[in-house]
Amino acid sequence: MTAVGDDARPADEQRSESATLDERGLRSLVSTVYLPAAAYGIGQGAAAPVMVLTALDLGASPALAGLTVAVVGLGQVVGDAFSGQIVGRFGERLSVIGASTLAAIGVVLCLVAPSVVVLLGGILAVGLANAVWGLARMNYLSTVVPFAWRARAMSLFGGAMRLGFFVGPILGAGVIWIVGVRGGFLVQLVAVICAGALMARLRDPAGSRAGTSTVGLRAVVRTHRRLLCTLGMGSLLLGVARSARDAVLPLWSDHLGLSPSTASMIFGIAAAIDVACAYPAGHLMDRFGRTSIAVPSILILALAYLLVPLTGSLGWFAAVAMVMGVGNGFGNGVIMTVGADVAPPTGRAEFLASWRLTHDAGFLAGPLSIAGLAAIAPLVVSIAGAGVLSATGAVLLGRYVPRYTSGDRAHSGS
């Protein structure tokens, strides 16, 4: 289905559509983009539950063990600062190979870590690799996928990662039962190697700027500071809205006295809804514009956060968790799609790195802000704060997505 006319799109987008994907469309990317994304997500999902447990086994305090999860986000934020230069200089293929190698080294460190310091070093290395790996694939899709399919391509990529994250803990549980708590890292190691091998088969797109001089992050921020301070702030708050649920739902389930197994089941159902919403969200964005999904997705999350303190039973809590799954699922691919829309033809990878930095910073800030507020105020206040921040993000996205994205300009006829 054709979403917009050629005359409504920037020249670089029209050029990228002329000779990118063949007649198979997005199906041609299954084995080289979407399956590797799912595999990489499986690795992340398998490792997520065992990072804290491994730290505890190594003698870490509960507070220090809890911070291990945040170290992954910290690595991604730090990695965003230089991933643009790496992808711009070496191209997508070599960048993926290098990032997969770094991730494998980090996972091996986690597997053999004799101390918490070594464990944290391995986790940080994985976070750094995630930044480069994610940017390389985002830059590739933004270059080769025709504009009319862009949102579907990005949403499917995000959905594939989420599917892997959903499957990963299930596979990890089986391996943990056989080899012990670090079995989750073993699953991650195999997944990272498989994902890197699959994506290494993909050639850099025609017209790639690999090997040319790159633009520094500071120069990118200076050139695009207005966009990053407006639309980028909306991206950051969407990151907060999507990641805060990882802290809100466990805290409130504990407040309600639910068992860990019951809470885990609720998480699993919400994750399944999350995955199911990915492709429909991309289709709607391609047909009706980016705002049609960007704003409703974060508004749904805002409403869900405000409803959480009103739930006093398992049924109502599960219902709100499902609503969060819908909001988060429809948010899959939004930031990648908008970033691809606003990225300049020159310095694309470097710009996308700074764009990812806004969202990843929000992902890091979300759980940390909830934990910080919960430490100094009633839990209800911290959850309500997540709702207010999400609503603020909706206002910013509603105002600036149509202003900056070619997709919404085309659909509005401006």
Side-chain angles (χ1 to χ4, degrees):
M1 180 176 295
T2 301
V4 294
D6 283 349
D7 58 344
R9 287 168 287 162
D12 67 300
E13 291 171 343
Q14 295 181 39
R15 287 196 300 271
S16 70
E17 186 168 342
S18 60
T20 50
L21 299 185
D22 58 24
E23 66 276 4
R24 292 178 297 163
L26 298 181
R27 288 177 295 172
S28 64
L29 299 176
V30 169
S31 64
T32 51
V33 175
Y34 297 123
L35 283 180
Y40 204 86
I42 286 173
Q44 290 182 306
V50 302
M51 289 187 290
V52 173
L53 297 177
T54 302
L56 290 172
D57 279 353
L58 291 172
S61 66
L64 178 59
L67 287 177
T68 57
V69 179
V71 171
V72 178
L74 176 63
Q76 289 184 195
V77 169
V78 174
D80 287 335
F82 58 79
S83 59
Q85 285 72 43
I86 293 175
V87 175
R89 181 172 298 277
F90 298 106
E92 288 84 354
R93 182 175 178 272
L94 286 179
S95 297
V96 164
I97 293 173
S100 299
T101 302
L102 177 61
I105 292 172
V107 176
V108 169
L109 287 176
C110 294
L111 272 169
V112 303
S115 66
V116 176
V117 172
V118 176
L119 176 68
L120 293 177
I123 293 173
L124 181 65
V126 172
L128 294 170
N130 289 350
V132 178
W133 199 93
L135 175 65
R137 294 305 86 197
M138 180 180 178
N139 192 57
Y140 179 84
L141 287 175
S142 69
T143 302
V144 305
V145 175
F147 179 83
W149 306 344
R150 177 177 287 167
R152 276 166 284 185
M154 296 294 187
S155 294
L156 277 175
F157 181 77
M161 291 286 290
R162 298 298 298 179
L163 175 62
F165 204 86
F166 171 65
V167 174
I170 299 174
L171 294 178
V175 178
I176 290 169
W177 185 75
I178 298 173
V179 304
V181 69
R182 299 198 193 192
F185 291 128
L186 188 60
V187 173
Q188 185 179 28
L189 180 61
V190 174
V192 165
I193 293 173
C194 290
L198 286 170
M199 297 194 80
R201 299 161 50 218
L202 202 60
R203 294 182 179 181
D204 288 338
S208 172
R209 294 175 58 249
T212 63
S213 59
T214 59
V215 183
L217 180 65
R218 185 174 299 177
V220 171
V221 172
R222 183 170 58 249
T223 302
H224 302 283
R225 60 184 179 276
R226 178 172 295 179
L227 182 150
L228 293 173
C229 289
T230 52
L231 184 60
M233 184 56 65
S235 169
L236 186 148
L237 291 177
L238 180 57
V240 170
R242 296 185 66 198
S243 64
R245 71 178 193 142
D246 293 336
V248 167
L249 292 181
L251 289 172
W252 196 254
S253 67
D254 180 72
H255 173 78
L256 294 178
L258 302 180
S259 68
S261 60
T262 300
S264 180
M265 183 179 298
I266 292 173
F267 271 62
I269 297 173
I273 294 174
D274 186 329
V275 173
C277 291
Y279 186 78
H283 180 78
L284 290 172
M285 276 193 285
D286 278 333
R287 183 171 184 181
F288 299 109
R290 314 320 188 199
T291 310
S292 68
I293 289 298
V295 174
S297 67
I298 193 171
L299 277 179
I300 290 172
L301 287 169
L303 176 63
Y305 286 128
L306 295 176
L307 289 176
V308 165
L310 303 180
T311 62
S313 65
L314 171 61
W316 284 111
F317 176 69
V320 172
M322 304 307 121
V323 172
M324 283 191 185
V326 172
N328 196 62
F330 273 92
N332 277 326
V334 167
I335 294 303
M336 290 189 291
T337 303
V338 172
D341 285 346
V342 300
T346 302
R348 178 186 293 269
E350 295 86 346
F351 172 83
L352 289 177
S354 65
W355 176 250
R356 282 175 56 89
L357 179 59
T358 64
H359 195 58
D360 287 347
F363 254 89
L364 177 61
L368 292 179
S369 62
I370 296 298
L373 282 173
I376 61 175
L379 181 58
V380 171
V381 173
S382 61
I383 296 176
V388 172
L389 289 175
S390 301
T392 304
V395 173
L396 290 174
L397 292 174
R399 179 174 181 180
Y400 292 109
V401 169
R403 178 177 299 184
Y404 285 107
T405 64
S406 56
D408 278 14
R409 287 200 304 271
H411 286 284
S412 65
S414 57

